């Protein structure tokens, strides 16, 4: 009789995350949990990856007139672990999903090639696509995932807060969302809230450390993030995140 091998620590973590996502529709993963998942998918050279957030262009599409958001953008196709970058294209959301900035094509600066192909980027894409593949029923699973990647920096000024989700509580109009903390400097608040279909609060947490993460089933829950403000008004204040969304092609 052959003994069944015990699942590895990695497999156990994956199973726990999948179970919670299946039950609740969202999961907050602290850095100590998220790092091994990313390392399993090839995470290396984090500092070089994180430093690229210092070179993002200003988002000029903010309908609230704000100049507190910087970003770069890219799209990929993900098919059974194969990641292929698509030609640069605009980001579009309907006004049903983004009442503030939706309804128009928004052309953002491209994510630099060496960052789009960076081991940290590829590891993050593989990680969220692993969960998407596992949790999407086979009859609903697309041949490939249309994957949108956003580098965001939200800046806060002494007289002007930075708003990570200026559209408020929302859905992104996709299937799955990964939010990965890159870093915070001199900011307070930035609390993520998760809400059910009736918009009642299900949970809240703060991404504070690099590699803290949230995974969201966009069909099942709404999410939002409170504004950030400077701790010290005399120093730069900002919140950097990577957001990856997956939807059917």
């Amino acid at each position: 009789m052959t003994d069944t091998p015990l699942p590895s620590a990695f497999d156990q973590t994956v199973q726990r995350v999948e179970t919670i996502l299946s039950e609740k529709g969202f999961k907050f993963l602290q850095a100590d949990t998220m790092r091994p998942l990313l390392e399993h998918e090839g995470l290396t050279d984090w500092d070089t990856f994180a430093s690229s957030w210092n070179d993002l262009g200003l988002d000029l599409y903010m309908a609230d007139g704000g100049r507190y958001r910087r970003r770069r953008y890219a799209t990929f196709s993900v098919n059974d672990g194969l990641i292929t970058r698509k030609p640069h294209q605009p980001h579009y959301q309907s006004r049903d999903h983004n009442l503030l900035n939706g309804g128009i094509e928004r052309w953002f600066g491209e994510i630099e090639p060496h960052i789009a192909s960076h081991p940290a980027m590829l590891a993050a894409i593989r990680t969220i696509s692993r969960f998407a593949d596992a949790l999407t029923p086979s009859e609903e699973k697309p041949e490939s995932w249309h994957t949108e990647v956003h580098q965001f920096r939200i800046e806060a000024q002494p007289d002007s807060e930075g708003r990570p989700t200026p559209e408020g509580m929302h859905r992104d109009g996709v299937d799955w969302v990964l939010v990965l903390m890159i870093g915070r400097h001199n900011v307070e608040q930035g609390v993520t809230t998760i809400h059910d279909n009736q918009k009642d609060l299900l949970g809240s947490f703060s991404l504070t450390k690099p590699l803290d993460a949230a995974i969201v089933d966009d069909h099942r829950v709404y999410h939002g993030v409170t504004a950030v403000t400077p701790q010290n008004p005399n120093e730069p204040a900002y919140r950097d995140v990577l957001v990856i969304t997956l939807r059917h092609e």
Side-chain angles (χ1 to χ4, degrees), residues 67-68 155-162 228-230 232-235 237:
R67 293 294 181 264
Y68 51 80
E155 298 174 328
Q157 305 294 334
D159 58 349
S160 178
E161 65 186 17
V228 293
T229 56
N232 182 343
N234 299 315
E235 293 184 9

Side-chain angles (χ1 to χ4, degrees), residues 137-170:
S138 57
E139 66 274 13
E140 299 176 12
K141 191 182 306 181
E143 182 175 334
S144 59
W145 292 103
H146 175 71
T147 304
E148 301 184 46
V149 176
H150 309 256
Q151 291 180 282
F152 284 116
R153 169 167 287 183
I154 303 300
E155 298 174 328
Q157 305 294 334
D159 58 349
S160 178
E161 65 186 17
R163 302 168 66 193
T165 56
E167 64 273 37
M169 186 198 320
H170 67 284

Side-chain angles (χ1 to χ4, degrees), residues 1-6:
M1 183 175 181
T2 303
D3 292 336
T4 302
L6 295 175

Side-chain angles (χ1 to χ4, degrees), residues 59-69 100-101 106 163 166:
D59 183 344
L60 300 176
Y61 288 94
M62 301 300 296
D64 63 359
R67 293 294 181 264
Y68 51 80
R69 183 157 73 180
L100 179 67
N101 295 317
R106 290 180 282 166
R163 302 168 66 193

Side-chain angles (χ1 to χ4, degrees), residues 182-196:
I182 304 300
R184 294 165 57 113
H185 178 74
N186 187 38
V187 292
E188 297 178 321
Q189 302 303 317
V191 178
T192 298
T193 60
I194 305 292
H195 307 258
D196 64 16

